[in-house]
Amino acid sequence: MLRDTINVLPFEYVKLRFCGSEPAIMYTHCHVAAHQAAGLAVTFVVAPDVMQRTQTIPEELTQMCLRQGLKASGNAIGNHGLDFTGLSPIPVEAPPRKAN
């Protein structure tokens, strides 16, 4: 029996909805190393507004982001509060499949 497992076929995606009870950042990934290296992973962020008010990021991590040209403040997309403008709602469109 596969538990807590969702199979996703090539060029398809799954939308998940769940109710998180505590502020958290959860990294979920494919268990095939080559797939994970190809980006088959997702990060769930639960209650980002609560985390912004209650947690601080060490300065050395902030500087590391800035050196890489990454935004070091705001939410998952680099905006403030619950403004997720610019966050892609779905994966990049897959190329059309060839007819057999």
Side-chain angles (χ1 to χ4, degrees):
M1 174 173 89
L2 296 176
R3 184 174 174 190
D4 300 327
T5 301
I6 299 172
N7 290 319
V8 182
L9 299 174
F11 302 111
E12 294 186 354
Y13 63 93
V14 173
K15 289 185 180 182
L16 300 174
R17 179 176 280 192
F18 66 95
C19 183
S21 59
E22 298 288 331
I25 299 173
M26 297 171 279
Y27 179 70
T28 304
H29 59 87
C30 179
H31 282 271
V32 177
H35 292 171
Q36 188 177 352
L40 296 179
V42 64
T43 302
F44 293 102
V45 182
V46 178
D49 55 329
V50 174
M51 286 191 284
Q52 287 177 344
R53 289 193 311 270
T54 60
Q55 299 178 10
T56 58
I57 298 172
E59 183 60 27
E60 60 267 13
L61 294 181
T62 299
Q63 292 305 315
M64 183 175 66
C65 290
L66 295 174
R67 284 192 302 271
Q68 296 178 60
L70 302 172
K71 293 183 180 180
S73 65
N75 56 27
I77 192 72
N79 298 335
H80 294 282
L82 298 176
D83 175 11
F84 293 101
T85 304
L87 185 64
S88 177
I90 60 172
V92 175
E93 187 175 326
R97 295 183 184 185
K98 294 181 181 178
N100 292 332

